[in-house]
Amino acid sequence: MNIEKRTEKRGFQKTIIEKNVISIDIFLILNCIIYVHNFERDDVQEKLVGKNIFEIFDFIRNEKNSSGYYPAEINEEEFSIIINTIKKNKELYEKIKIVDVDNSVYGNISGSDRVVNVTFLYEDNLIIVYKGTAGDFEWKDNVEGTYNISDTKQQRMALSYFDEMVEKFKDVKKVYVSGHSKGGNKSQYIGVLRGNMSKLERVYSFDGQGFNSIFLKKYNEEIENNRH
């Protein structure tokens, strides 16, 4: 029997993983930290890829912006909880390794706000996480996804990244997909189109945008078959 134990204290959750159960807390943390600006840097391969979450702890620390917020508009108290969660679960986060970062696509014509996809390896599990809306291009994509077309450009790119990672790390036993906001929509898209894949264990979408009637009609069968 799989067991998941949690200890609550002032909004902080200490999670104990037994028998390879992955808590939703982990997905929340990973979705938060990929907003850190270091994941948009040109030298991300050198600085972050190949390292575990605890090894990049110094890179996760960020200064507040002029409005008093940390990345993704997280306030200081919330960001402190994230940092403390990682610190108090060192044994766990040392096992979660960054194995790929794709930040090659820009969200604005000026070359700012990069689209970020990050893949983590936790024991025999692959975890693919998509960041939220990046710049004008993805805001336009959001609008198109509400009424205009069934499959948007960014959804198709997210699917391509998923397929690439599954092929690259084919020896893993289970694959998890997650994302926040725009990333949540991308993860749902993966769940619909690849939900019949035996390795795809679960999809976690945090505040992800839904789909329009064109999409629902086109993929009605996949939605029904893969709704789990």
Side-chain angles (χ1 to χ4, degrees):
M1 179 178 180
N2 290 333
I3 300 172
E4 181 180 303
K5 296 181 181 178
R6 297 183 179 184
T7 302
E8 305 276 356
K9 186 177 181 182
R10 295 185 62 189
F12 162 72
Q13 255 182 10
K14 184 175 182 181
T15 307
I16 302 172
I17 307 298
E18 297 189 10
K19 294 189 177 180
N20 215 26
V21 175
I22 303 181
S23 166
I24 194 172
D25 303 359
I26 294 173
F27 295 98
L28 285 165
I29 292 292
L30 298 181
N31 272 277
C32 288
I33 68 171
I34 70 167
Y35 277 92
V36 172
H37 303 307
N38 286 290
F39 282 93
E40 296 190 39
R41 290 171 49 153
D42 289 328
D43 60 353
V44 67
Q45 302 298 324
E46 174 189 345
K47 296 293 185 182
L48 301 182
V49 175
K51 296 180 172 62
N52 65 55
I53 299 301
F54 208 82
E55 283 182 300
I56 66 163
F57 199 75
D58 288 340
F59 292 98
I60 296 174
R61 299 176 187 274
N62 268 250
E63 295 182 359
K64 292 179 287 188
N65 61 22
S66 58
S67 300
Y69 287 99
Y70 287 91
E73 298 186 2
I74 300 173
N75 64 40
E76 187 166 3
E77 181 181 2
E78 291 169 337
F79 200 80
S80 177
I81 290 171
I82 294 169
I83 295 298
N84 287 333
T85 299
I86 296 172
K87 287 173 64 176
K88 293 181 180 181
N89 290 274
K90 179 180 179 181
E91 184 177 349
L92 167 62
Y93 286 95
E94 281 183 326
K95 294 179 180 178
I96 302 176
K97 182 179 179 181
I98 301 168
V99 292
D100 188 86
V101 179
D102 180 6
N103 64 7
S104 58
V105 176
Y106 292 96
N108 294 312
I109 196 169
S110 63
S112 63
D113 288 342
R114 300 192 189 194
V115 177
V116 176
N117 310 319
V118 184
T119 301
F120 304 88
L121 189 64
Y122 170 58
E123 296 181 339
D124 291 330
N125 304 287
L126 201 66
I127 303 173
I128 300 170
V129 183
Y130 299 97
K131 196 185 83 169
T133 306
D136 295 339
F137 296 149
E138 286 213 310
W139 280 115
K140 179 177 181 290
D141 197 82
N142 288 341
V143 174
E144 290 179 340
T146 63
Y147 71 93
N148 193 22
I149 53 178
S150 59
D151 305 71
T152 72
K153 178 180 179 180
Q154 297 303 323
Q155 288 168 346
R156 294 194 303 270
M157 290 179 67
L159 182 64
S160 295
Y161 181 76
F162 172 84
D163 290 340
E164 180 184 344
M165 291 301 103
V166 170
E167 176 63 25
K168 183 175 181 180
F169 301 99
K170 61 179 65 177
D171 293 333
V172 299
K173 292 182 178 178
K174 295 179 181 179
V175 180
Y176 294 81
V177 181
S178 187
H180 165 254
S181 190
K182 177 68 168 177
N185 175 265
K186 292 175 180 179
S187 65
Q188 293 173 64
Y189 185 80
I190 303 301
V192 172
L193 272 70
R194 293 292 183 267
N196 60 346
M197 182 182 293
S198 60
K199 284 186 177 182
L200 183 53
E201 181 71 9
R202 193 162 295 179
V203 171
Y204 290 99
S205 171
F206 300 104
D207 298 320
Q209 176 180 313
F211 299 92
N212 62 40
S213 59
I214 304 171
F215 178 92
L216 299 178
K217 183 177 181 180
K218 178 179 179 179
Y219 293 113
N220 178 66
E221 184 176 348
E222 288 84 354
I223 291 168
E224 288 300 317
N225 291 340
N226 302 327
R227 59 190 307 127
H228 61 283

